[in-house]
């Protein structure tokens, strides 16, 4: 009788946070959820552990001694280390969220957070970053099917040779959906991405922005090329997406 020894190894997750209570709660929860975990109490220790153990994903607090989460992220990207990074940010800090995504974070989660949500985010990040090379989160240009091209640095978009006129929030929505392609993104999540917790707006505002994008793209909601509606839940980007360095132009 032979045993199957080809089971997938458990993903290795580095969690860096200077709050002992956070590490004390998160580390055992992630271990119970099927991950191996490397804890770190500050950013410099996190960098050392990343270089030594090469984790599959990193969870970094933005406020840590030595080096904060964003400094660690910048150091990794400068080294062309594309390990997926999820940043733990402070609730309501819209600037922190925007800078986290611009600097190459794969996702972020506001503190305080539900550990089940952290597990879901880690698994989603791992699913979409399995390929080698820079992840979509760090690509200056995103290219999709049917000639859709998004310049994340210049904040411009084209469909074929036609430049699209998109509002700033509409652009942010399109960019976020493309980076998180194939994922169901809840309306509440998109609301947080676009408006944060600072403004009292409802989920209909998200639907209005999606309707704006569909008008600009000339998309039929019943037969979507790019943005599909998941009834009662949110939206999913269904087009293919690849990242480019921004040097070439189609």
């Amino acid at each position: 009788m032979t045993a199957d020894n080809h089971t997938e190894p458990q993903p290795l997750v580095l969690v860096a946070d200077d709050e002992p209570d956070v590490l004390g709660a998160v580390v055992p929860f992630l271990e119970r959820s099927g991950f191996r975990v490397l804890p770190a109490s500050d950013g410099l220790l996190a960098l050392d552990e990343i270089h030594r153990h090469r984790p599959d994903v990193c969870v970094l607090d933005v406020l840590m001694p030595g080096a904060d989460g964003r400094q660690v992220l910048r150091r990794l990207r400068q080294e062309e280390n594309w390990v997926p990074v999820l940043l733990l940010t402070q609730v309501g800090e819209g600037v922190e969220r925007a800078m986290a995504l611009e600097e190459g974070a794969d996702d972020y989660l506001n503190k305080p957070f539900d550990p089940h949500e952290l597990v879901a985010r880690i698994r989603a990040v791992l699913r979409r970053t399995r390929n080698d090379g820079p992840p979509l989160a760090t690509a200056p240009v995103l290219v999709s099917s049917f000639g859709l091209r998004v310049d994340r640095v210049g904040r411009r978009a084209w469909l074929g040779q036609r430049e699209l006129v998109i509002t700033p929030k509409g652009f942010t929505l399109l960019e976020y959906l493309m980076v998180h392609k194939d994922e169901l993104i809840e309306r509440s999540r998109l609301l947080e991405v676009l408006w944060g917790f600072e403004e009292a707006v409802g989920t209909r505002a998200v639907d209005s922005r999606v309707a704006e994008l569909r008008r600009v793209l000339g998309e039929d909601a019943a037969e979507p090329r790019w943005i599909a509606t998941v009834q009662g839940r949110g939206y999913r980007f269904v087009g293919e997406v690849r990242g480019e360095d921004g040097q070439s132009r189609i």
Side-chain angles (χ1 to χ4, degrees), residues 75-214:
R75 178 85 66 85
L76 292 172
R77 298 308 184 235
Q78 287 167 0
E79 296 171 355
E80 298 190 352
N81 184 330
W82 308 115
V83 59
V85 171
L86 189 154
L87 289 183
L88 302 177
T89 65
Q90 301 301 310
V91 170
E93 293 295 329
V95 174
E96 285 285 356
R97 291 194 300 274
M99 294 183 72
L101 297 176
E102 287 175 5
E103 291 175 348
D106 294 85
D107 210 341
Y108 68 88
L109 189 61
N110 281 318
K111 281 183 161 185
F113 54 85
D114 182 340
H116 292 89
E117 178 70 7
L118 176 61
V119 168
R121 296 287 177 83
I122 289 173
R123 288 177 175 157
V125 166
L126 287 171
R127 280 197 302 271
R128 69 172 184 266
T129 56
R130 282 175 179 160
N131 297 328
D132 293 333
L136 294 178
T138 65
V141 175
L142 300 174
V143 179
S144 186
S145 45
F146 304 101
L148 177 60
R149 181 183 180 87
V150 173
D151 176 358
R152 304 173 71 195
V153 178
R155 310 301 286 176
R156 302 169 71 186
W158 292 265
L159 189 57
Q161 299 301 314
R162 176 171 63 91
E163 184 167 358
L164 304 176
V165 180
I166 309 176
T167 63
K169 280 191 166 53
F171 188 96
T172 299
L173 173 61
L174 177 60
E175 177 185 25
Y176 191 83
L177 288 171
M178 290 179 75
V179 168
H180 296 79
K181 70 183 183 72
D182 297 326
E183 289 183 38
L184 164 59
I185 311 295
E186 304 273 356
R187 283 180 173 84
S188 58
R189 175 65 171 167
L190 292 174
L191 190 66
E192 179 187 324
V193 168
L194 296 177
W195 285 276
F197 293 92
E198 297 90 352
E199 299 180 45
V201 294
T203 54
R204 286 186 179 276
V206 173
D207 297 335
S208 296
R209 294 300 174 185
V210 171
E212 170 202 335
L213 287 179
R214 284 175 169 158

